Amino acid sequence: AMYDQKIEGDVTLRLFVDSAGRIVPESTRVHESSGYPALDSAALAGAARLVFAPARRRGIPVATSFLQPVEFRHPEGAVLKGGP
């Protein structure tokens, strides 16, 4: 329904990745909401399927957390100002 309405938004997630590069879903949180709960939920659901190369400290894989932006754009949406 939101796609049909051409709703767009940005969500920032705080992700925690273990030393094997897997997302720890119970630690994933919305850091900055898009203002649309459905977009925030979609970002969280998609993040659970991500896999990363683990961070390394002195060559040893370590767990880490970081902020990950997620942009929802409609192909027919308006051009956002300030973008590239």
Side-chain angles (χ1 to χ4, degrees):
M2 294 184 78
Y3 182 85
D4 292 338
Q5 295 174 36
K6 300 179 184 172
I7 292 178
E8 299 180 334
D10 298 326
V11 182
T12 303
L13 299 177
R14 174 161 300 280
L15 302 179
F16 182 82
V17 178
D18 67 16
S19 61
R22 294 181 303 256
I23 294 288
V24 180
E26 59 272 10
S27 297
T28 299
R29 302 278 182 263
V30 173
H31 178 75
E32 187 175 331
S33 174
S34 65
Y36 296 100
L39 293 184
D40 296 351
S41 294
L44 286 168
R49 295 188 298 266
L50 296 173
V51 178
F52 293 88
R56 293 186 176 270
R57 183 174 296 138
R58 297 185 184 145
I60 300 170
V62 295
T64 190
S65 67
F66 58 94
L67 297 178
Q68 178 66 50
V70 180
E71 298 176 347
F72 291 93
R73 298 290 178 263
H74 193 281
E76 297 174 11
V79 175
L80 297 177
K81 293 182 177 163

